Amino acid sequence: MSNALLVLTLALVCGCAGTHAAHKSAESTTGAGDADAGVRPASMAQLLNLTLRDREVPQAREITTEQFHPKTEKNSLPPVSDVNCQKVLQIINGAGSYASVHQIFNWKGDIFPGDSLISSYEGTRATDYFRILVKAINSCNSYSGTGYAGRYRATLTVEPPPDVGDQGASFRIVIPTENGLRTEGHVVVRTGNLIAMFENLNVGGTAEFPPGLVVKQIQRLDEARKG
């Protein structure tokens, strides 16, 4: 992530990319992406064209939009202690995607940012990865790891999913720090062969990515998908 403020806040503990989740009956929707299996995945340029613009986000004083390359991004940090929690961290950072676009939202009146990652997937991979994510979220309770600031321990709590897209998931990660509880609020939504991940960060307070912006972004992805 290129934003200096985001790098600073992430360095408080974990150094993970910033990106959930009770889920909307994963078993009943596991075949929902099959109709999109033969659809060509969106390119980086197409995803960039689907992102939110500054004028659409009055809550933000600045939005940074950048290409993201999960296949080539190098992470020198060791895996966390729980294999299911590691899967969660990998998937919300775009593992296995065809193309990804990252946005950082610097909120007005808040030093802590939010961010989103929109990814396209080939074939049925979006459905497959979402299924893995839901299973991992519901199996991950706590984990320890090593971040840029040293060792940390985190807890993950499942929350009610958003009612948008084909499948939705939400969860919260909390990490104790010297400055208070570092909280990450995560929302993940799959629509067709696209997965959008939203995260908001706070220390000593609540963290929720604005629900209205989640709805606005998913509606745009839905419209583009359905042509």
Side-chain angles (χ1 to χ4, degrees):
M1 297 183 180
S2 61
N3 182 281
L5 175 59
L6 185 58
V7 171
L8 175 62
T9 54
L10 290 179
L12 285 173
V13 181
C14 81
C16 314
T19 290
H20 304 221
H23 59 286
K24 192 192 301 180
S25 185
E27 286 74 20
S28 66
T29 56
T30 50
D34 292 345
D36 296 278
V39 177
R40 184 179 179 85
S43 66
M44 193 82 73
Q46 289 171 318
L47 291 179
L48 285 167
N49 194 48
L50 295 173
T51 57
L52 297 175
R53 304 293 191 263
D54 292 77
R55 65 181 182 277
E56 299 176 297
V57 188
Q59 305 96 316
R61 66 177 184 273
E62 179 187 33
I63 301 175
T64 301
T65 304
E66 59 189 2
Q67 299 181 6
F68 189 71
H69 302 278
K71 292 182 180 178
T72 57
E73 290 286 333
K74 292 184 179 180
N75 188 346
S76 60
L77 300 176
V80 299
S81 61
D82 184 278
V83 64
N84 288 302
C85 301
Q86 180 67 17
K87 288 178 183 178
V88 173
L89 298 178
Q90 290 175 325
I91 293 174
I92 65 174
N93 283 286
S97 63
Y98 174 81
S100 296
V101 170
H102 181 230
Q103 287 196 293
I104 300 169
F105 301 83
N106 289 312
W107 308 119
K108 294 176 181 177
D110 195 343
I111 64 170
F112 299 107
D115 67 308
S116 68
L117 185 69
I118 304 172
S119 301
S120 64
Y121 294 79
E122 296 176 287
T124 62
R125 284 192 175 188
T127 304
D128 297 338
Y129 273 100
F130 199 92
R131 185 187 304 118
I132 295 170
L133 176 66
V134 167
K135 183 177 180 180
I137 287 169
N138 285 285
S139 300
C140 172
N141 298 309
S142 64
Y143 59 93
S144 59
T146 301
Y148 297 117
R151 295 286 295 174
Y152 68 92
R153 185 161 186 82
T155 57
L156 185 150
T157 304
V158 175
E159 298 192 335
D163 189 21
V164 291
D166 293 327
Q167 291 174 283
S170 299
F171 64 91
R172 189 168 302 276
I173 294 175
V174 177
I175 302 172
T177 77
E178 294 179 355
N179 300 307
L181 294 178
R182 180 188 191 279
T183 302
E184 304 169 10
H186 293 270
V187 174
V188 188
V189 179
R190 181 186 70 80
T191 176
N193 59 6
L194 301 173
I195 295 180
M197 291 159 272
F198 307 87
E199 176 193 14
N200 213 50
L201 172 67
N202 207 336
V203 176
T206 59
E208 180 185 40
F209 197 92
L213 295 183
V214 173
V215 172
K216 182 177 294 186
Q217 180 65 84
I218 299 305
Q219 285 179 339
R220 180 163 301 169
L221 298 181
D222 281 337
E223 290 170 1
R225 167 196 169 197
K226 296 170 183 176

